[in-house]
Amino acid sequence: MQKDSYGVPNTSVFLQIDHDPEIMGIEKNYPKVYLDVCCLCRPFDDQSSIRIRLEMTAVLEIIRLCTINELNLITSEAIIEEISNIPDNNKRIRVEKLLSTSREHIFIDEEIISRMHEIIAMGGDAMDSLHIACAEKGDALFISTDDDLITFIIGHKNIHINGYNPVTWLEEEGR
């Protein structure tokens, strides 16, 4: 598998595509996906576990689908902030590069903060609740490698998005 100068496997060719939906003639109804930072970091985690390798492959496939405009990757200020706190500079740069496929960015506003507090009141962690609120605002599927977070999303009918593991979601979609 080829890697770019930052070690990003098999995606560097796709990441140079112009992703402006207007230029690409993209319809705005392509499925939106919100990959949490755990997902975005998965390609750069220790690959000694089969689960991590499967999730890494699934995450890279989702990124690939975003580069060919079959999915629409949504980012947020919460994602950007969390990535900025990655202590390993090389890893942070690689993760930031994956975000170049994004076509929509969610800015945190009062509505998102209010919704975050509602989700916290349901028992959610503060940062996870902020990500969920951002994904809801973007009307996106929430994809995470965190089983507890996915279980939390699925277990609360008042959360207005679907949560998936990347491997499970690709399997359910038949990809």
Side-chain angles (χ1 to χ4, degrees):
M1 181 180 299
Q2 287 187 332
K3 296 182 179 182
D4 69 7
S5 61
Y6 294 110
V8 176
N10 201 24
T11 59
S12 59
V13 173
F14 296 113
L15 296 177
Q16 296 173 12
I17 298 171
D18 186 345
H19 298 292
D20 183 338
E22 298 298 319
I23 292 173
M24 300 297 291
I26 310 242
E27 295 179 30
K28 297 186 189 240
N29 62 354
Y30 278 85
K32 296 179 180 183
V33 293
Y34 188 102
L35 300 177
D36 75 354
V37 176
C38 292
C39 268
L40 293 167
C41 287
R42 190 54 94 205
F44 315 108
D45 291 340
D46 177 0
Q47 301 295 309
S48 60
S49 160
I50 186 71
R51 176 184 172 153
I52 293 174
R53 287 194 308 272
L54 288 169
E55 289 174 343
M56 178 266 308
T57 301
V59 167
L60 290 177
E61 176 61 9
I62 291 167
I63 296 293
R64 187 190 72 78
L65 291 169
C66 292
T67 64
I68 63 171
N69 303 312
E70 289 187 24
L71 296 174
N72 186 2
L73 180 64
I74 306 299
T75 60
S76 69
E77 285 182 292
I79 287 175
I80 301 301
E81 176 63 26
E82 194 170 341
I83 290 171
S84 75
N85 291 320
I86 296 173
D88 180 330
N89 191 45
N90 288 329
K91 184 175 184 177
R92 185 176 58 255
I93 290 168
R94 291 181 205 143
V95 173
E96 288 170 344
K97 189 169 184 179
L98 291 178
L99 293 181
S100 69
T101 62
S102 175
R103 285 188 234 109
E104 187 174 333
H105 185 79
I106 303 298
F107 292 93
I108 297 171
D109 58 18
E110 289 300 319
E111 179 183 346
I112 288 175
I113 297 297
S114 175
R115 180 64 178 146
M116 176 190 76
H117 288 293
E118 291 173 12
I119 297 167
I120 290 170
M122 293 179 218
D125 168 85
M127 196 63 179
D128 291 342
S129 297
L130 181 58
H131 285 300
I132 292 167
C134 289
E136 284 181 342
K137 177 91 175 213
D139 194 29
L141 299 167
F142 190 93
I143 300 179
S144 177
T145 57
D146 182 336
D147 293 339
D148 292 335
L149 179 54
I150 295 165
T151 300
F152 177 78
I153 292 169
I154 292 169
H156 289 83
K157 294 185 192 303
N158 291 334
I159 293 181
H160 310 293
I161 54 170
N162 293 317
Y164 297 95
N165 174 279
V167 175
T168 305
W169 183 73
L170 284 174
E171 287 173 347
E172 287 181 11
E173 290 295 302
R175 296 189 187 252

